[in-house]
Amino acid sequence: MGIVAGLDSSPEFTRIVVCDADTGAVIRQGYAPHPVEGRPSDVDPQAWLLSLGEAAGGGLLEGVQAIGVSAQQNAVVPLDAQGNTVRPALVGGDKRAQVAAADLVDALGGKEAWAQAVGCVPQAAQPVTKLRWLAKNEPENALRTAVLLQAHDWLVWQLLGRPVRRTTDRGGASGTGYWSAATGAYRPDLVELALGHQTMLPEVIGPSDAAGTTPEGLLISAGTGETMAAAFGLGIGLGDAVVSLGASGSVMAVHPEALADQSGMITSLADATGMHLPVVTTLNAVRALRGTAELLGLPDLESLSELAMKSTPGAHGLVLLPYLEGERTPNLPHTAGTLAGLRRESMKPEHLARAAFEGMLCGLADALDVLRGRGVEVRRIFLLGPAAELPAVQASAPSLFGAQVVVPQPADYTAIGAARQAAWALGVSQGTLDPRNPPAWQGAAAQVLEPGEELAVGQAVRQQFTAVREQTHPGAFRP
């Protein structure tokens, strides 16, 4: 079929991969940081275009027939009636909007009402919440806002030469807080509730549809959010879950239908293929490891892992509930962490190190149980993030999660997912691919870890963790 490109515009950089459209093999790649210092909450979208141009320099896109665009989620680009930006894009976690999130929850009648309406409860980062913040803090800008785009929508629109038609995909739309993955429709009333008036919203096109063709004849696919693109690049399907180890953690899985969760623990996203991606987040993952390393005077996580491996499963009865920043799963926003099981024999640095790893992984196993409790099948777990390479993580994760664990080799999976979407749209346009079945690219090269004989040991460690959690926070966790 030729060659295609995938573009990942993250909060800090643009990365582009050029791939063989049939196999997915990466032929060449480009990279450029955004010309923005740090990670501010307001960014001129032109910065994304500047780094895109730099990343694509040196003839990187020569011979490319189609491009897919993925970009940071939750960024809102408000445009006026002429298509100009009203103000810089609102991006990132944006703690400014925490009060706005609580306002919106109350305005619709509580968490259950939101879960039923759009499959998620407003959080500070979400576009719908940023609109409420805009209305309250910059009412003139809110009034001028006539069109709402997300980062990947805006980039696709720019690549196509700013046509009258503006598009998005169901993956990106599902994170806005005003589009329902269950019904496949916008809720303009929720835009009005947040912003004070309705606006133009981009047309949601299908996973294999093209957004359009550039004046030079380059096909541009629908685009999607970075989470959906990464899942697509990894090649996950039914029975697969992804556990991401960042400062906070997230667990998502592929499921055939949208899940409405009245507790607000599950965010019901759509994926880039026509399926669904229910997501459960924990506020504490690698931050619990870093805190423990600092407490023990260790220079890095590798040293913490090495120390933990000198202990044994169960850490001699030491249990760390790693709720250092409060927690979302279980919903304990104002709590702190707990260290339990202190006995003379357990008060050794290696046992605390082991308890930190087990506490982090047990917290993520709780998040997995939320999905399993709703009928989501989990046979295989992809473990992502630099911490996934640590021996102490790999030694415990399969038995604590109770499933095969796959640790993919580091690669630009988000950009690769965007390229795979481009290949799909190109194949459909040429009549060589089915709109219902994406191209079968080779899967990620990975290390595969089985629970094996350690499964019973892992379940005993989880029972120890669960007992402390229930004793400390009775009834807080209801998967």
Side-chain angles (χ1 to χ4, degrees):
M1 256 172 26
I3 59 173
V4 294
L7 187 156
D8 170 22
S9 180
S10 84
E12 295 167 347
F13 58 77
T14 298
R15 201 181 295 279
I16 301 173
V17 297
V18 176
C19 300
D20 181 287
D22 293 314
T23 66
V26 176
I27 300 166
R28 50 186 186 263
Q29 45 199 327
Y31 169 88
H34 294 321
V36 176
E37 290 293 320
R39 292 182 70 162
S41 298
D42 298 306
V43 175
D44 183 347
Q46 293 295 329
W48 308 333
L49 279 185
L50 288 170
S51 70
L52 192 167
E54 189 180 336
L60 183 80
L61 299 179
E62 194 174 321
V64 165
Q65 295 165 274
I67 293 180
V69 177
S70 66
Q72 58 182 300
Q73 283 156 240
N74 297 325
V76 183
V77 187
L79 304 179
D80 63 19
Q82 286 72 48
N84 302 312
T85 50
V86 168
R87 68 177 315 283
L90 294 135
V91 302
D94 212 344
K95 291 186 176 178
R96 296 177 299 185
Q98 285 175 336
V99 172
D103 283 351
L104 280 177
V105 172
D106 291 342
L108 196 64
K111 290 182 178 180
E112 286 186 29
W114 279 96
Q116 292 295 336
V118 286
C120 58
V121 178
Q123 305 291 335
Q126 276 183 302
V128 71
T129 308
K130 289 171 175 159
L131 298 183
R132 168 58 70 106
W133 181 89
L134 192 65
K136 294 286 185 186
N137 294 276
E138 300 176 8
E140 289 183 9
N141 285 337
L143 270 175
R144 287 177 55 217
T145 299
V147 182
L148 292 173
L149 297 180
Q150 292 185 86
H152 81 266
D153 309 336
W154 188 84
L155 285 165
V156 165
W157 185 58
Q158 295 292 327
L159 289 174
L160 290 173
R162 296 166 59 108
V164 172
R165 182 192 189 214
R166 300 177 181 95
T167 62
T168 190
D169 87 306
R170 54 195 294 283
S174 66
T176 58
Y178 44 82
W179 185 88
S180 166
T183 64
Y186 280 117
R187 287 288 302 265
D189 58 313
L190 299 182
V191 174
E192 188 169 353
L193 181 71
L195 190 63
H197 62 92
Q198 295 193 11
T199 66
M200 291 273 294
L201 299 169
E203 177 189 344
V204 180
I205 61 176
S208 63
D209 291 346
T213 307
T214 68
E216 298 77 32
L218 192 63
L219 183 140
I220 309 292
S221 63
T224 196
E226 59 190 350
T227 298
M228 299 80 192
F232 199 37
L234 283 165
I236 69 168
L238 286 173
D240 291 335
V242 176
V243 173
S244 295
L245 301 177
S248 54
S250 70
V251 176
M252 66 179 178
V254 179
H255 197 56
E257 59 191 37
L259 296 177
D261 174 52
Q262 297 177 356
S263 72
M265 282 197 289
I266 298 175
T267 297
S268 192
L269 300 177
D271 80 346
T273 72
M275 302 288 275
H276 294 268
L277 275 180
V279 181
V280 180
T281 55
T282 67
L283 294 182
N284 300 277
V286 175
R287 63 165 41 98
L289 302 183
R290 295 202 184 283
T292 306
E294 287 173 18
L295 184 65
L296 292 171
L298 298 172
D300 50 41
L301 297 186
E302 288 73 19
S303 303
L304 185 71
S305 172
E306 190 178 331
L307 184 62
M309 293 301 283
K310 294 176 180 175
S311 180
T312 54
H316 274 248
L318 210 56
V319 174
L320 176 66
L321 300 184
Y323 307 152
L324 308 185
E325 295 278 323
E327 191 46 85
R328 278 186 64 183
T329 308
N331 184 25
L332 297 164
H334 306 298
T335 194
T338 302
L339 186 63
L342 285 166
R343 294 186 178 84
R344 180 66 192 88
E345 63 271 19
S346 66
M347 294 178 74
K348 292 184 177 177
E350 61 264 32
H351 300 324
L352 178 56
R354 182 87 186 201
F357 281 97
E358 290 178 348
M360 175 188 76
L361 292 169
C362 283
L364 289 159
D366 281 351
L368 270 167
D369 282 352
V370 172
L371 295 178
R372 285 172 165 145
R374 294 299 306 278
V376 178
E377 185 182 12
V378 178
R379 293 192 306 269
R380 184 172 65 157
I381 294 166
F382 286 76
L383 200 55
L384 303 185
E389 303 284 337
L390 297 172
V393 170
Q394 296 191 4
S396 301
S399 62
L400 292 177
F401 292 160
Q404 182 188 82
V405 169
V406 178
V407 184
Q409 288 183 5
D412 302 320
Y413 292 110
T414 304
I416 290 168
R420 190 177 176 205
Q421 187 195 63
W424 194 6
L426 180 64
V428 169
S429 76
Q430 294 174 340
T432 57
L433 285 177
D434 186 324
R436 293 161 300 181
N437 297 310
W441 282 11
Q442 57 202 38
Q447 187 178 1
V448 179
L449 310 168
E450 300 284 355
E453 296 175 0
E454 296 296 312
L455 185 59
V457 175
Q459 297 316 294
V461 173
R462 281 219 57 204
Q463 286 170 5
Q464 179 177 274
F465 178 89
T466 301
V468 172
R469 187 195 65 221
E470 279 304 302
Q471 188 175 1
T472 313
H473 306 286
F477 182 66
R478 302 185 189 282

